[in-house]
């Protein structure tokens, strides 16, 4: 079991499969973003080996992310390999949904349990403005394909950016009336690369909730007030699904954090918003034994920071979001 010095049992691993992406969301990366050469990223066999090691230390919940995980070559085989690793109980994927209309079924057949799909607005022009390159229609088809393939419950993510989509939260929340989906609104967080947008145009969960309630009625607390992952859940009157708020900036959930991240280049990152990392890939390539690697992981987890320092103005600048894996 991997325990940190505050007694938290860390058993949820988010693996960034690649820093590459087929979109350029304005809150995530600049349009001229350059990416790491493939040789610097974990290769398939390295991903399997590290997953096996983490699973042997009690990591039973894996989420694949990026960058855009579906642009990684062999994504279906990678999911199959991870899903069949002893000790892994669930495998999920965070995706922009662009390629999901053709990948949902093979991924489900390979053992994927669930997907989170990013969709920031239901307006095609605004969607293009936010993602720079995306077509809303593709994402919508992806959501429906995921539901049909049984990758449920469907969770949708929207990052809210002032001047871009703060008015669109109402239409997105309304989706939960007809669909048994979870629509989650994420407070924008500051990272390297695009900090001007991120610090100047953020919208709080409180404001988003007020906007939704003004148009659609009161949001009732759901899930008995318990966090679902990082989301606080609510329900609109007579809705099939839930509305969630991920208020990492204004109401952090650090005390309940059970996660660690593996970056696309094989570094163990203990907190999304802290720069501290432990390099696993370099020692692995240099011939470290499995026991050496296990110790590196356990020592890193032990030193996991208590929480982020956004309130004190600490912004992680060593990496952009797409490299860490959101
Ligand atoms: N490409 C996939 C996607 O967009 O869902 C997976 C990777 S993306 C980095 C993971 C999540 O991080 C997405 O839900 C995205 O909206 C979110 N994200 C990206 N930049 C963010 C930021 N600055 N603040 C908060 N969330 C962010
Ligand atoms: Fe790509 Fe996801 Fe970042 Fe958008 S948020 S640029 S889809 S990695």
């Amino acid at each position: 079991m991997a325990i940190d010095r505050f007694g938290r049992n860390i058993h949820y691993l988010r693996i960034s499969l690649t820093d590459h992406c087929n979109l350029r969301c304005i809150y995530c990366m600049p349009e001229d973003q350059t990416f790491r050469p493939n040789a610097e990223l974990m290769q398939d066999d390295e991903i399997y080996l590290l997953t096996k090691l983490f699973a042997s230390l009690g990591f039973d919940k894996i989420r694949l992310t990026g960058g855009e995980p579906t642009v990684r070559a062999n994504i279906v085989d990678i999911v199959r390999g991870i899903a069949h690793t002893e000790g892994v109980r669930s495998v999920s994927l965070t995706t922009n949904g662009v390629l999901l209309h053709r990948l949902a079924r093979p991924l489900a057949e390979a053992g994927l349990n669930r997907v989170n799909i990013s969709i920031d607005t239901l307006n095609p022009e605004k969607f293009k403005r936010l993602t720079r390159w995306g077509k809303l229609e593709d994402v919508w088809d992806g959501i429906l394909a995921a539901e049909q393939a049984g990758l449920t419950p469907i969770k949708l993510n929207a990052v809210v950016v002032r001047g871009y989509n703060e008015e669109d939260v109402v239409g997105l929340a309304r989706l939960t009336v007809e669909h048994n989906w979870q629509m989650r609104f994420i407070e924008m967080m500051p990272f390297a690369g695009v900090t001007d947008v991120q610090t100047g145009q953020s919208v709080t969960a409180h404001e988003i909730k007020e906007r939704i309630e003004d148009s659609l009625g009161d949001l009732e607390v759901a899930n008995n007030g318990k966090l679902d992952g990082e989301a606080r859940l609510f329900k609109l009157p007579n809705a099939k699904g839930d509305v969630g708020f991920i208020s990492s900036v204004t109401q952090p959930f650090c005390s309940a954090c059970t996660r660690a991240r593996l970056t696309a280049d094989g570094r163990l990152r203990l907190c999304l918003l802290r720069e501290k990392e432990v390099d696993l890939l370099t020692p692995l390539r240099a011939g470290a034994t499995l026991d050496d690697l296990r110790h590196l992981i356990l020592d890193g987890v032990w030193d996991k920071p208590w929480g982020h320092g956004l309130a004190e103005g600490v912004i992680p600048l060593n990496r952009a979001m797409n490299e860490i894996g959101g």
Side-chain angles (χ1 to χ4, degrees):
M1 213 196 274
I3 304 273
D4 77 359
R5 67 207 148 102
F6 305 104
R8 293 174 295 189
N9 174 9
I10 312 303
H11 64 101
Y12 177 10
L13 184 67
R14 295 193 176 199
I15 306 177
S16 174
L17 291 182
T18 177
D19 57 340
H20 297 226
C21 190
N22 46 1
L23 299 183
R24 294 288 182 279
C25 303
I26 52 128
Y27 46 75
C28 183
M29 56 171 96
E31 187 158 19
D32 60 355
Q33 176 81 19
T34 51
F35 299 106
R36 284 178 193 277
N38 277 328
E40 284 182 21
L41 304 182
M42 293 183 289
Q43 305 301 297
D44 294 5
D45 56 336
E46 292 165 337
I47 292 175
Y48 298 142
L49 188 139
L50 288 172
T51 304
K52 212 168 132 188
L53 265 181
F54 276 96
S56 73
L57 295 170
F59 284 79
D60 55 357
K61 196 173 158 189
I62 309 280
R63 172 170 297 277
L64 304 175
T65 177
E68 176 47 42
T70 60
V71 304
R72 168 108 191 190
N74 304 331
I75 177 69
V76 174
D77 291 333
I78 292 174
V79 165
R80 188 176 295 106
I82 291 176
H84 289 91
T85 302
E86 195 183 330
V88 171
R89 283 196 302 124
S90 85
V91 187
S92 54
L93 179 90
T94 302
T95 171
N96 61 30
V98 170
L99 299 176
L100 215 48
H101 61 285
R102 64 178 168 79
L103 279 174
R105 188 155 296 282
L107 286 172
E109 284 167 4
L112 187 71
N113 299 109
R114 282 197 323 94
V115 280
N116 287 16
I117 303 166
S118 296
I119 182 164
D120 300 328
T121 167
L122 296 177
N123 175 316
E125 281 88 51
K126 286 192 189 177
F127 185 80
K128 180 104 195 166
R129 216 177 139 224
L130 268 159
T131 60
R132 294 200 185 97
W133 296 358
K135 243 173 79 190
L136 180 63
E137 210 182 309
D138 294 338
V139 178
W140 191 255
D141 290 348
I143 295 171
L144 299 181
E147 190 169 41
Q148 270 190 355
L151 295 171
T152 52
I154 298 281
K155 298 188 183 181
L156 306 178
N157 290 339
V159 175
V160 186
V161 189
R162 195 171 306 285
Y164 283 82
N165 65 338
E166 75 269 39
E167 284 156 10
D168 303 46
V169 299
V170 174
L172 288 167
R174 197 184 285 117
L175 289 175
T176 65
V177 176
E178 288 298 320
H179 301 275
N180 186 12
W181 296 344
Q182 200 184 95
M183 181 68 235
R184 299 135 38 106
F185 296 98
I186 304 178
E187 286 180 341
M188 187 164 48
M189 294 176 281
F191 286 93
V194 272
T195 43
D196 49 338
V197 179
Q198 295 156 338
T199 46
Q201 288 158 264
S202 59
V203 182
T204 63
H206 180 75
E207 177 181 333
I208 300 166
K209 186 162 177 275
E210 269 187 356
R211 282 178 179 273
I212 295 170
E213 289 189 315
D214 284 351
S215 299
L216 302 177
D218 283 350
L219 281 162
E220 294 274 329
V221 171
N223 204 32
N224 293 322
K226 284 193 307 226
L227 282 178
D228 180 71
E230 60 274 69
R232 293 182 172 84
L233 295 186
F234 296 83
K235 229 178 213 330
L236 282 169
N238 303 316
K240 292 186 176 146
D242 292 326
V243 172
F245 297 96
I246 303 183
S247 40
S248 328
V249 181
T250 58
Q251 260 190 298
F253 42 85
C254 306
S255 62
C257 184
T258 57
R259 61 200 72 156
R261 290 177 163 80
L262 192 54
T263 65
D265 57 339
R267 269 72 176 162
L268 173 65
R269 178 138 175 149
L270 283 317
C271 170
L272 178 63
L273 290 154
R274 294 276 186 188
E275 294 185 355
K276 180 182 167 57
E277 293 177 353
V278 179
D279 184 0
L280 298 178
L281 189 58
T282 309
L284 170 62
R285 288 184 178 175
T289 65
L290 296 186
D291 254 356
D292 294 339
L293 291 167
R294 245 185 229 112
H295 279 117
L296 283 173
I297 296 171
L298 287 175
D299 289 351
V301 166
W302 179 256
D303 277 335
K304 178 176 160 73
W306 167 251
H308 67 66
L310 291 183
E312 299 92 60
V314 178
I315 296 176
L317 293 175
N318 60 341
R319 282 177 190 272
M321 180 66 142
N322 65 304
E323 279 192 318
I324 308 167

